[in-house]
Amino acid sequence: MALSEAERVLRQAIEAAEQLGLDTQDARTADRLIGERRGYPNDLYVLALAGGTGVGKSSLLNALAGAELSPPGPLRPTTRTPIAMLPIARLEEARALLEWLGGAEIRMAPGDGPAIAIVDLPDLDSIEPGHAARVDSVLPRVDSVLWVTDPEKYDDAMLHDAYLRRWMPRLARQAIVINKADRLAADDVQRVAADLRTRLALEGLPPIAVLSASAIRDVEPVRTWLAEGASAKEIVNARLLRTAAEATRALASAAGVDGPGPPAPLVPADRRAHAVSASQAAILDLVDLAGLRSQAATASRGAARSVGGGVLGLLRSTLERGTGIHASRADPDGFLRRWRERGSLDRPIAPIRHLLLEAVAALPLPTRASLLEDVEPGAISDRLARSVDGVISSPEIAFPRPRSRLWPIAGAGQLVATAALVAGVVWLVVLFASRGAAPTASVELPILGPLPMPAVLILGGLLASFLLARLLHWHAGRLGRRWATATGQAISMEVAVVLDGTLARLMAGVDGPRHALWSALRSIEQEERHDGAQARPNSASQLP
Amino acid sequence: MERLAESADRRWQLLLDARQAAGIGDDVATSPAAPRGPRERALELRDHSRSFLLPRARDLDAPVLVAIVGPTGSGKSSLLNALAERPVSRTGVLRPTTRDAVVIGSATDLARSIDHGALRAIPPQRLQRHPTDAFPGLLIADTPDVDSVEHEDRALADRMLEAADVCIFVTTATRYADRVPWDVLARAEERRLDLVVVINRMPPGDDAAVVLDDLVRLMGEARLRVRSFLSVADGALADDGDSLARSALEPLLLRLRELSADAAKRRLLVADALAGALEGVVPLVSSVAGDLEQEAAEARTLLEQAQRAYDDETATMLDRLFSGTLLREEVIRHWHTFVGADQVTRFFAGGIGRIRGTLTAVLRGAPPAPVSVVQRGASDDIIALVERHAAEAARRTAARWTVDPLGAQLVTAHPDLWSSSALLDAAVRRAVDGWIASIASDVAERGASRRSTARVAAVGVNALTVALMLVTFTHTGGLTGAEAGIAAATAFLNQKLLNALFGEAAVQEMIRRARQRLTDALHEIVADERQRFEQVVGPVAEVEALAAELRRIAA
């Protein structure tokens, strides 16, 4: 059967709980106890008689044994070592099991049951504190419990608050017996039993067999209950399965994921998208896309000028490079790389931290620690900065050396314009010089329209140079800006993606184990239902 | 003494209210045998002062209250029925049988006690009155079980016990060593109550004597002073089955009749009970004071942790505020374009720059100052800064508190304590707006009182306000303006402009005041944030004062 499966699920639950920072001490103990119990024979089971002082546990055991194993007395609380009745045929095996159960302090007496060891526990409600402590130490290891009470004590706070409420969910095979039924009229016994059932239901406890007995007169209902139950194997199995299930349930409930549906993601998708876009906008403010555009345009113009700017352009390019102006104003890659220096990360991290802190506050207390460190501003700034750095330093983002076929043509034009300018100037200079040296007849100047030729050359050269420079400026700027716009879009998209990824990774550290715990509980509960359907005892012995 | 009761009562109520307001519920003990906590002890003191000390001290002749207490099913109701000689209290097999306090007594005694005596503090709907003339001068009350699963019943029984002058403790031969009722006895002893023990359902024969001896021994070991033991045999019931046989109760009846008949004896008993109670109240007052002191100390520790986290974060925040790296470049760049324009630089440039600036100003006019963009940007950055540190202080405090039991309760009940408050954003924005307005009025005032009025008007008060604000954050302290970085360059230009218009000393003074004002405003905001933690902890000083007063009274 699926006990090994249950053990596996419990271990998974423990692992998940540990990732969440939950205390797994109890679950580990349960896991250990299951393992240890499986080392003992499972065709033999231990039934414990538990109850308050004076309800007649010993008398009940004596009646079941048909012999006085334990002498009853008037004094309270009865002080003696626990006593156990073991199947005579398997004394040795039972002895080993009982030693595991409670050490050597249990006095053992042979009984005639085939597969059952009955232990009479000390009382659980007297002024002797050692007694209750002893009960508490044995209960986790017994396979089955018969809660013994009487008409006086069935409503005691001690029984209900400290024991039934705590232990009933953790046990599989169990019943409550109202002892001393001979003190009441028959219909009163039934009224008391009904009252007790109502009380247990009010406390939210599962239905349980309620028997009546009289240790001095009639223990037949108890005998019947013992006989009609499932086989020892099934009882031991069911108990261990229940132990695993309860341990898993405790973990799931500590994590707040013991509801019927799967735990909702800690942060709803729309809130997450909202935080990502707010943070993205703040990061883009730091990256400064407008600044990037101007850098790219300047860089592109510089590149154009060295090719298509003629002599002067070349000169200016060289100067700008030499003085460092280029580096500070025309270096888009460097500008991007320096994004973190352009302001603090407080604004980008604020929406994400807010979201995380809200999530932390919504978690059950013990699991908060799992997220707390991630919300530390330094840590989250680093995380964010690293992922944005990853985007920005990717090779696709790098500024390409801009070039254009137009630029050399513009450069040639510039050279022609410069040549015209120079020719015009030289022409004029030669003219003036020769006039002074040879005062002969006036020289005929070629006329173009109303202007003399040298003037045309000079003015035309200047105009052409200016126009070509403007054209180049405009064209190169356009190229640079176009690149910057495309790059800006790419960055902005990528930043959103990495932010969302970062957030998803942070959340997965909590959402993952939470979901794992929930599904562990679900599968173990399914197992239990399956098992319970098989081993549900019929209730001939119970009170109606 | 009266003062003690009243002050304890009033202050305790106040503390309870504060606790309730802080969202801390009653911690119901999981095990009925769990030791009494501070809350139980304080409630005990309150009930004791309200329903016993005060009314008893006022009126020694008020009827004597006899409370019958004991575990479930021990026969308390049967005993009362026997005393009343008629079925007044329900008996039966179902537990718990008695949910209310059932009181018998003469009509006048009942009225007297309920109006302004011992029973005044008992909720009327939980008090059943049965007038009878059996014992004038006495009120005899059956109480709910002390150990049933109904916690409210236990609370009512405790209150009745606190109000009583005489306690009849009923138990049975099988029950007498149960732990929970034993705790009730301990309280009766603390109160020095006149105690009568009835052991019901005694087994026949010699066993009865054995049980009685054992019980006497146990009570002796526990140092309980019992006036008398009364053993009732199992099945000693009257014919109706609802009450114990009166023949079995003879000694008790005798004592009650004696008290009823003799006012002087009653007075003596009452005086004894009061004296005993006063003696017994001292340890209770001290222990409550101790509880309060411990609570206050815990609360102080929590508050100190909050204070430390907030102080640390505030210091870091203020460091960063004026470190020159607060504002992002994107915002500064807008300003740089404006303040670096020739039309503005002409106010402090010399030579050709001035001429060029003047010409440009004449030709193109002054460029528009990006006032709102920069102000909004700066506000956003300040908000983000404060937000970061306030949220971090909250997170650190909450994380610290999680380790402490009381702190863990508080941060669970108030999930908003894990981050900055929702109002922080708006508060900082308001403060920054106010701060900018104060800079503007500074600028306007200086501008008006100087001969540079015309030039101030030319640049604009708003633009100068922004310049001054920026300088507050990034003050280069006399650098040359050639350093790399647009922030430093802008700061240089801003300073030049302001110095030219107002004079260096005045600018320094304005910066100093602006910084001071912003620091003060942010301090206030952070203090408000921390206040949230103080609020949930409650009035610690009040608790300390109460503890001190209780100590004084107990001394």
Side-chain angles (χ1 to χ4, degrees):
Chain A
M1 118 101 237
L3 185 57
S4 52
E5 171 67 10
E7 276 189 276
R8 199 181 58 77
V9 173
L10 172 59
R11 287 195 194 128
Q12 279 174 351
I14 290 176
E15 201 179 310
E18 252 163 25
Q19 283 169 15
L20 288 174
L22 289 174
D23 179 10
T24 55
Q25 185 71 41
D26 290 349
R28 286 185 181 282
T29 308
D31 185 35
R32 184 170 54 79
L33 287 182
I34 294 172
E36 286 177 6
R37 177 64 183 89
R38 292 184 78 188
Y40 293 97
N42 68 350
D43 53 352
L44 177 72
Y45 78 96
V46 179
L47 171 79
L49 303 181
T53 172
V55 296
K57 295 183 299 297
S58 308
S59 316
L60 195 62
L61 183 67
N62 289 343
L64 289 172
E68 190 154 299
L69 300 183
S70 164
L75 295 186
R76 303 287 165 244
T78 36
T79 47
R80 53 176 170 68
T81 50
I83 192 159
M85 182 181 82
L86 312 179
I88 195 154
R90 313 181 54 188
L91 220 47
E92 277 318 302
E93 283 169 279
R95 194 187 296 277
L97 180 56
L98 280 186
E99 267 165 20
W100 170 73
L101 197 77
E105 274 181 56
I106 297 179
R107 199 152 65 83
M108 306 183 197
D112 53 354
I116 174 168
I118 302 181
V119 188
D120 174 20
L121 296 181
D123 70 83
L124 40 77
D125 62 356
S126 82
I127 46 177
E128 200 67 59
H131 289 190
R134 182 118 186 88
V135 175
D136 291 345
S137 77
V138 173
L139 277 180
R141 295 169 186 234
V142 300
D143 301 308
S144 163
V145 171
L146 193 58
W147 301 102
V148 186
T149 184
D150 67 9
E152 235 179 81
K153 285 197 159 183
Y154 77 89
D155 202 35
D156 270 18
M158 202 64 161
L159 176 68
H160 285 263
D161 290 351
Y163 286 91
L164 293 181
R165 222 188 279 203
R166 178 150 169 249
W167 284 102
M168 266 180 65
R170 303 188 195 187
L171 290 160
R173 174 85 174 147
Q174 58 189 326
I176 298 184
V177 54
I178 300 169
N179 200 9
K180 303 188 187 167
D182 53 295
R183 287 173 152 269
L184 299 177
D187 55 338
D188 278 349
V189 175
Q190 290 186 4
R191 280 173 58 212
V192 166
D195 189 45
L196 178 57
R197 280 207 195 88
T198 316
R199 161 74 58 203
L200 294 173
L202 278 178
E203 286 167 31
L205 292 172
I208 183 174
V210 178
L211 321 171
S212 77
S214 159
I216 51 170
R217 232 175 272 166
D218 177 21
V219 292
E220 218 31 54
V222 178
R223 277 191 204 286
T224 320
W225 180 77
L226 286 176
E228 83 191 354
S231 74
K233 259 184 198 162
E234 279 167 346
I235 288 173
V236 173
N237 237 344
R239 159 67 162 151
L240 295 183
L241 191 57
R242 180 64 63 89
T243 305
E246 273 308 307
T248 310
R249 206 187 321 277
L251 292 178
S253 113
V257 296
D258 50 351
L266 216 47
V267 171
D270 57 329
R271 302 282 318 274
R272 188 162 121 186
H274 197 75
V276 163
S277 77
S279 172
Q280 176 206 26
I283 284 183
L284 291 180
D285 278 350
L286 289 188
V287 171
D288 193 356
L289 294 181
L292 179 68
R293 247 202 306 284
S294 110
Q295 290 266 344
T298 315
S300 177
R301 281 175 197 139
R305 217 176 280 126
S306 60
V307 184
V311 183
L312 280 176
L314 209 59
L315 200 65
R316 191 169 155 195
S317 285
T318 318
L319 271 177
E320 280 185 355
R321 268 175 219 287
T323 52
I325 290 178
H326 182 85
S328 69
R329 288 192 199 155
D331 178 17
D333 289 342
F335 182 78
L336 276 180
R337 269 198 309 279
R338 288 192 305 274
W339 72 279
R340 284 194 65 175
E341 295 160 22
R342 286 197 284 279
S344 99
L345 282 170
D346 291 351
R347 271 179 76 235
I349 65 170
I352 290 186
R353 286 192 74 215
H354 243 4
L355 200 65
L356 289 173
L357 282 172
E358 230 171 82
V360 165
L363 282 172
L365 200 57
T367 60
R368 285 181 190 171
S370 55
L371 258 185
L372 263 185
E373 269 170 35
D374 295 326
V375 197
E376 202 274 312
I380 201 160
S381 298
D382 281 354
R383 216 182 253 266
L384 236 62
R386 266 204 308 279
S387 37
V388 174
D389 277 341
V391 171
I392 277 174
S393 62
S394 91
E396 293 125 58
I397 297 292
F399 183 63
R401 179 102 195 132
R403 51 183 95 243
S404 164
R405 258 171 301 180
L406 287 177
W407 297 351
I409 299 173
Q414 281 286 6
L415 282 181
V416 171
T418 313
L421 183 70
V422 170
V425 171
V426 169
W427 194 338
L428 274 185
V429 169
V430 168
L431 211 65
F432 276 102
S434 65
R435 196 182 56 181
T440 50
S442 62
V443 179
E444 279 298 311
L445 272 179
I447 301 288
L448 195 69
L451 287 175
M453 204 53 190
V456 169
L457 281 177
I458 290 174
L459 289 178
L462 278 175
L463 188 66
S465 178
F466 175 75
L467 286 177
L468 278 172
R470 290 314 303 170
L471 195 71
L472 195 71
H473 186 87
W474 172 81
H475 182 255
R478 208 175 75 107
L479 272 190
R481 276 195 300 273
R482 198 192 286 163
W483 171 84
T485 306
T487 304
Q489 272 166 4
I491 289 178
S492 135
M493 250 161 57
E494 277 298 304
V495 164
V497 170
V498 296
L499 283 180
D500 195 55
T502 308
L503 207 45
R505 268 195 301 283
L506 283 174
M507 289 298 156
V510 179
D511 279 338
R514 272 162 64 90
H515 196 274
L517 261 181
W518 174 79
S519 55
L521 178 60
R522 225 174 111 84
S523 64
I524 216 162
E525 274 179 345
Q526 235 157 24
E527 204 59 67
E528 231 189 341
R529 262 196 296 281
H530 179 70
D531 192 70
Q534 279 183 341
R536 169 82 49 218
N538 56 1
S539 45
S541 59
Q542 283 186 50
L543 289 164
Chain B
M1 196 272 313
E2 197 154 320
R3 205 168 50 83
L4 149 79
E6 263 164 9
S7 93
D9 186 31
R10 183 167 40 90
R11 299 292 187 91
W12 176 248
Q13 196 53 49
L14 190 131
L15 185 65
L16 280 182
D17 292 347
R19 273 288 137 109
Q20 220 142 37
I24 299 181
D26 301 1
D27 13 66
V28 175
T30 45
S31 164
R36 286 180 297 162
R39 189 188 163 79
E40 285 75 23
R41 281 195 289 268
L43 281 176
E44 233 167 57
L45 179 57
R46 181 190 71 172
D47 291 343
H48 189 55
S49 64
R50 253 191 210 172
S51 48
F52 183 78
L53 291 179
L54 281 176
R56 195 34 102 198
R58 266 191 229 117
D59 188 359
L60 284 177
D61 292 323
V64 168
L65 181 62
V66 182
I68 305 177
V69 298
T72 115
S74 58
K76 298 183 292 296
S77 299
S78 308
L79 175 61
L80 185 73
N81 290 344
L83 296 179
E85 290 181 278
R86 62 191 165 102
V88 289
S89 191
R90 202 162 61 91
T91 62
V93 292
L94 298 189
R95 313 272 161 238
T97 44
T98 307
R99 303 293 319 272
D100 300 328
V102 182
V103 190
I104 60 168
S106 77
T108 44
D109 285 346
L110 277 170
R112 188 170 175 184
S113 209
I114 289 166
D115 288 346
H116 49 263
L119 298 178
R120 195 182 46 165
I122 307 292
Q125 72 275 13
R126 301 213 60 179
L127 196 64
Q128 292 180 28
R129 283 157 283 180
H130 294 279
T132 163
D133 292 326
F135 302 100
L138 299 186
L139 293 174
I140 307 176
D142 182 15
T143 63
D145 307 323
V146 292
D147 59 352
S148 100
V149 277
E150 302 288 348
H151 294 280
E152 275 181 33
D153 289 3
R154 166 76 197 259
L156 181 59
D158 283 346
R159 294 182 93 166
M160 289 297 290
L161 184 68
E162 292 305 331
D165 301 288
V166 176
C167 171
I168 302 180
F169 181 78
V170 185
T171 184
T172 69
T174 53
R175 279 249 186 219
Y176 71 87
D178 281 12
R179 185 145 36 126
V180 176
W182 208 260
D183 293 342
V184 176
L185 282 175
R187 176 62 194 146
E189 168 59 22
E190 245 173 48
R191 276 209 48 199
R192 311 276 202 279
L193 269 180
D194 197 67
L195 182 63
V196 176
V197 174
V198 176
I199 320 143
N200 201 357
R201 308 228 174 88
M202 274 296 209
D206 295 344
D207 281 351
V210 175
V211 168
L212 187 59
D213 284 352
D214 195 42
L215 179 57
V216 172
R217 176 186 64 81
L218 281 176
M219 295 207 159
E221 276 172 14
R223 301 189 181 286
L224 295 173
R225 274 163 298 184
V226 181
R227 177 176 288 272
S228 61
F229 289 92
L230 178 62
S231 163
V232 179
D234 193 10
L237 292 176
D239 297 336
D240 59 1
D242 278 339
S243 51
L244 296 177
R246 281 173 73 87
S247 55
L249 302 172
E250 222 22 82
L252 180 63
L253 286 170
L254 202 66
R255 164 104 177 117
L256 292 176
R257 277 195 213 107
E258 184 185 47
L259 277 177
S260 171
D262 189 343
K265 274 209 169 115
R266 277 208 305 277
R267 208 162 210 281
L268 205 62
L269 175 114
V270 160
D272 266 1
L274 189 56
L278 282 176
E279 205 178 311
V281 89
V282 172
L284 184 56
V285 169
S286 313
S287 81
V288 169
D291 295 336
L292 290 176
E293 278 158 1
Q294 197 186 340
E295 192 170 308
E298 266 176 50
R300 282 261 177 248
T301 312
L302 291 180
L303 289 181
E304 272 163 28
Q305 286 171 351
Q307 182 83 45
R308 212 170 310 133
Y310 274 90
D311 283 353
D312 283 0
E313 288 296 328
T314 311
T316 322
M317 179 184 83
L318 292 177
D319 275 356
R320 293 185 56 210
L321 184 63
F322 299 123
S323 69
T325 55
L326 173 74
L327 302 180
R328 56 186 191 276
E329 255 184 56
E330 183 240 346
V331 171
I332 296 175
R333 202 158 36 77
H334 286 288
W335 192 251
H336 188 79
T337 324
F338 166 75
V339 80
D342 292 339
Q343 297 96 307
V344 177
T345 52
R346 73 186 157 111
F347 291 112
F348 52 85
I352 192 103
R354 184 177 223 143
I355 297 165
R356 196 175 60 184
T358 313
L359 274 177
T360 326
V362 170
L363 291 175
R364 292 198 195 159
V371 169
S372 64
V373 168
V374 175
Q375 280 187 356
R376 192 160 358 101
S379 300
D380 286 350
D381 282 336
I382 298 173
I383 288 170
L385 176 82
V386 177
E387 160 90 43
R388 170 196 168 138
H389 291 283
E392 179 57 6
R395 185 191 74 93
R396 279 174 54 186
T397 309
R400 270 292 198 74
W401 281 21
T402 312
V403 191
D404 179 274
L406 173 63
Q409 263 184 319
L410 292 171
V411 293
T412 310
H414 301 272
D416 55 308
L417 289 183
W418 285 87
S419 188
S420 52
S421 74
L423 303 172
L424 180 65
D425 240 49
V428 180
R429 198 173 290 282
R430 251 197 326 276
V432 171
D433 286 351
W435 177 65
I436 292 176
S438 79
I439 295 179
S441 75
D442 257 16
V443 167
E445 194 184 312
R446 293 270 173 186
S449 66
R450 284 195 144 252
R451 56 190 162 75
S452 56
T453 314
R455 295 198 291 168
V456 169
V459 183
V461 169
N462 287 344
L464 288 172
T465 302
V466 171
L468 189 62
M469 178 184 81
L470 292 178
V471 168
T472 308
F473 294 121
T474 320
H475 189 241
T476 57
L479 294 179
T480 57
E483 314 83 73
I486 194 166
T490 312
F492 175 74
L493 293 174
N494 280 332
Q495 248 167 276
K496 278 287 210 187
L497 175 66
L498 292 169
N499 287 350
L501 263 56
F502 300 112
E504 198 171 338
V507 171
Q508 292 299 337
E509 173 61 14
M510 283 197 283
I511 291 175
R512 199 189 55 74
R513 285 173 53 190
R515 285 189 172 175
Q516 192 56 49
R517 278 195 300 258
L518 185 59
T519 309
D520 291 348
L522 294 188
H523 261 303
E524 207 169 295
I525 284 174
V526 174
D528 282 351
E529 286 283 302
R530 201 193 57 227
Q531 204 75 45
R532 298 180 305 151
F533 285 90
E534 284 171 13
Q535 244 156 30
V536 302
V537 167
V540 183
E542 193 83 46
V543 175
E544 281 168 342
L546 175 53
E549 189 171 338
L550 290 179
R551 282 264 183 246
R552 220 177 20 256
I553 290 164

